[in-house]
Amino acid sequence: MANIIMILLNQHITNLHCTVLRIFKYIIAITMSVIEEILSYKYLTKEHLDGFDHYKYSARDTSPLSVYIMHPFWNWIVKLQMRHRPDMFFPRWLAPNLMTFLGFLCTALNFILLSYYDWNFYASSKMPNTTPVPAWVWLCTAINIFLAYTLDGIDGKQARRIGLSGPLGELFDHGLDSYTAVLIPTCLYSIFGRCIQYSVSPMRMYYVCWMVFFNFFLSHWEKYNTGVLFLPWGYDLSMWGSTAMYLTTWWFGFEFWKCDLPFGIPFGIAIEALLHFSAFANLPMVMINVYNGYAHRTGKMRSFTEAVRPLWPVLVFMLLLLSWPILSPSNIIEKDPRALYMLSGTIFSNISCRLIVAQMSNTRCECFHWMTPLYVLCIAFSLWWPLFERFLLYFLLLVTTLAHWHYGASVVNQMCDHFNRICFSVKKRNEVQMKTKNVEHNGAKSPSN
């Protein structure tokens, strides 16, 4: 009797084991299918791609610094290499998109370096038990930011030089520019740090970041309605100013900025006011250009509701992400300002990229971002249970970063497919595929040893 019971029990355990394995395999299969579906998701529709086919670049750069200094300098480099040594600086095999990406990496490297040495912005605060950022880092950041600025100005000239200018390069360029909108001001904050007397609080710096974001967004919203990208003057000034400030900090140390200007205005407060002013100064020009587009019927002539449609996502996230630190029971902006800056900058970049796609393809822009419900739930949960606030901040940062990178990679890959391009190469995609097939065919025909 006991043997029979043992046999039945073993059979039952075996059957249960097999059932669990089948369920586990089924879950794995479904998970892999979902992951594959997500990774292969296409964001661009046929309407988008058809719109890109008819796109023509139109921009106006009236900045005196850009027109009279930088463009002649960049043109000199291009003409110098074309006349004397064709491959002196930028050989013809160097893809313009690779130059754009290298410039972005220079800015990203600055952010990584300063994140390592000054995660919480205390290094330049002169507070007890703080270690200043090494001098060589400031020199490195100055070189990197100027290289990024130069590569950003020359990549288009390289594209026209080798006959590769088109929508892919512009979308890639402006998409990465939207990401640097958070990297540049965040790096500058490390110069001043959390010094109570001579700098600003993390919350006030957060307002500066959002002002930079909105200023960038307005320029592309302006193009969405006028069809022309009016390049703001503030960009050239900010890049030159950033380079000069990094060099000054390298030579004199961060203590150079710990002083008052005339009328007792601290240096850090003056820089804050200058950044706000430069952003606000662009707003009247944007409104005038949009108005002229309607008055002279040279713009897209959209209705009012369609014209303001792209503004809703950025305004919603601005409200959500500015309300969070204000209402935070654990003062999240003081605990981890860098993570909050990066979260805001990443979701802003994603919203901006979607606007850029819409204006370049002449399609209707989205008025609702799919991540809005997730942000509302996480922020509400963090306010209700402050213990999880920092965890939810990093959870949103991770999810947003992965989603944004996936969006960017997918869109660029679709554009490369559509235009028969390889993103970081000057060769056509079908040429490489044909060459690969020929090599494989010749290899298959060759006799084996």
Side-chain angles (χ1 to χ4, degrees):
M1 185 68 181
N3 291 334
I4 295 174
I5 293 174
M6 290 299 296
I7 291 172
L8 292 174
L9 184 61
N10 288 334
Q11 288 179 346
H12 178 71
I13 293 174
T14 302
N15 292 336
L16 181 62
H17 179 68
C18 292
T19 304
V20 170
L21 281 177
R22 282 196 296 269
I23 293 173
F24 183 72
K25 289 179 179 178
Y26 182 68
I27 293 173
I28 292 295
I30 292 178
T31 303
M32 294 303 295
S33 178
V34 170
I35 292 175
E36 185 178 353
E37 189 71 23
I38 292 174
L39 292 178
S40 61
Y41 185 80
K42 306 296 184 185
Y43 292 95
L44 300 182
T45 64
K46 186 178 184 302
E47 184 183 8
H48 286 125
L49 296 173
D50 290 342
F52 280 120
D53 285 334
H54 300 93
Y55 174 74
K56 290 184 179 180
Y57 179 64
S58 179
R60 295 179 188 174
D61 190 355
T62 58
S63 165
L65 180 58
S66 178
V67 173
Y68 297 109
I69 298 177
M70 294 314 300
H71 277 294
F73 169 66
W74 295 329
N75 288 331
W76 174 77
I77 292 178
V78 174
K79 290 178 181 178
L80 178 68
Q81 67 174 15
M82 290 176 67
R83 290 177 180 175
H84 301 283
R85 292 179 58 185
D87 294 335
M88 182 176 180
F89 295 114
F90 308 109
R92 299 184 68 88
W93 52 260
L94 183 60
N97 287 339
L98 183 58
M99 296 168 63
T100 305
F101 192 62
L102 289 174
F104 170 76
L105 289 181
C106 287
T107 308
L109 179 59
N110 284 353
F111 181 82
I112 293 170
L113 282 172
L114 290 171
S115 295
Y116 179 78
Y117 286 104
D118 187 26
W119 180 266
N120 284 314
F121 305 104
Y122 283 117
S124 299
S125 65
K126 298 186 74 173
M127 289 185 176
N129 302 319
T130 57
T131 303
V133 175
W136 67 266
V137 173
W138 298 119
L139 178 60
C140 184
T141 53
I143 295 171
N144 283 340
I145 199 70
F146 189 77
L147 283 176
Y149 179 38
T150 302
L151 288 169
D152 189 42
I154 290 180
D155 54 2
K157 299 180 186 298
Q158 172 78 346
R160 288 185 287 275
R161 174 193 171 211
I162 61 178
L164 284 181
S165 59
L168 173 62
E170 183 183 345
L171 179 63
F172 193 73
D173 188 354
H174 293 164
L176 290 178
D177 285 344
S178 69
Y179 218 164
T180 61
V182 67
L183 303 181
I184 294 174
T186 302
C187 290
L188 286 175
Y189 189 35
S190 286
I191 292 178
F192 299 93
R194 298 200 205 188
C195 180
I196 297 174
Q197 183 178 359
Y198 297 109
S199 184
V200 298
S201 67
M203 189 66 198
R204 287 173 63 175
M205 188 62 204
Y206 193 41
Y207 292 143
V208 171
C209 288
W210 270 105
M211 188 60 66
V212 173
F213 299 164
F214 197 68
N215 188 39
F216 179 92
F217 195 84
L218 275 180
S219 295
H220 288 278
W221 173 77
E222 178 185 30
K223 187 183 179 186
Y224 180 77
N225 287 291
T226 64
V228 180
L229 180 62
F230 296 89
L231 298 170
W233 291 17
Y235 172 70
D236 298 287
L237 292 171
S238 66
M239 299 303 280
W240 271 96
S242 299
T243 304
M245 290 174 70
Y246 289 137
L247 286 174
T248 302
T249 309
W250 163 65
W251 189 259
F252 296 104
F254 71 89
E255 294 86 359
F256 176 86
W257 309 101
K258 308 301 181 185
C259 63
D260 290 332
L261 296 175
F263 306 105
I265 301 174
F267 231 127
I269 307 300
I271 297 296
E272 176 196 26
L274 180 63
L275 290 172
H276 281 299
F277 174 77
S278 64
F280 273 117
N282 189 44
L283 181 59
M285 294 306 303
V286 169
M287 301 311 297
I288 290 171
N289 290 330
V290 172
Y291 171 79
N292 287 336
Y294 279 91
H296 302 296
R297 305 190 68 83
T298 57
K300 300 296 182 178
M301 304 306 296
R302 292 185 168 96
S303 65
F304 176 77
T305 54
E306 288 299 316
V308 300
R309 183 181 173 89
L311 296 176
W312 294 118
V314 73
L315 290 176
V316 168
F317 276 93
M318 182 185 293
L319 177 63
L320 285 172
L321 290 168
L322 285 176
S323 300
W324 189 1
I326 292 173
L327 301 175
S328 171
S330 63
N331 204 1
I332 191 67
I333 190 72
E334 290 290 335
K335 283 186 176 180
D336 206 335
R338 189 177 293 270
L340 189 58
Y341 295 167
M342 276 307 299
L343 172 63
S344 302
T346 304
I347 190 64
F348 164 77
S349 179
N350 190 257
I351 296 170
S352 297
C353 287
R354 293 169 186 269
L355 169 61
I356 294 167
V357 166
Q359 53 103 337
M360 289 183 64
S361 60
N362 198 25
T363 54
R364 197 181 191 201
C365 187
E366 302 171 4
C367 67
F368 177 81
H369 195 281
W370 69 273
M371 294 190 76
T372 306
L374 178 63
Y375 272 69
V376 171
L377 288 173
C378 287
I379 292 173
F381 191 87
S382 69
L383 297 178
W384 190 263
W385 285 282
L387 181 64
F388 297 96
E389 190 167 26
R390 201 166 188 175
F391 168 79
L392 288 169
L393 171 61
Y394 277 90
F395 169 74
L396 282 176
L397 177 57
L398 177 63
V399 172
T400 304
T401 302
L402 292 177
H404 183 44
W405 289 0
H406 180 264
Y407 176 82
S410 177
V411 168
V412 169
N413 193 47
Q414 279 188 266
M415 294 279 285
C416 288
D417 278 339
H418 184 71
F419 289 105
N420 187 29
R421 292 278 304 280
I422 299 175
C423 184
F424 296 130
S425 174
V426 297
K427 297 180 179 178
K428 300 290 185 180
R429 182 167 289 197
N430 60 359
E431 293 176 358
V432 175
Q433 291 174 346
M434 184 65 68
K435 185 176 181 180
T436 303
K437 287 182 180 179
N438 289 337
V439 170
E440 292 176 351
H441 180 69
N442 293 334
K445 290 176 65 177
S446 62
S448 58
N449 294 328

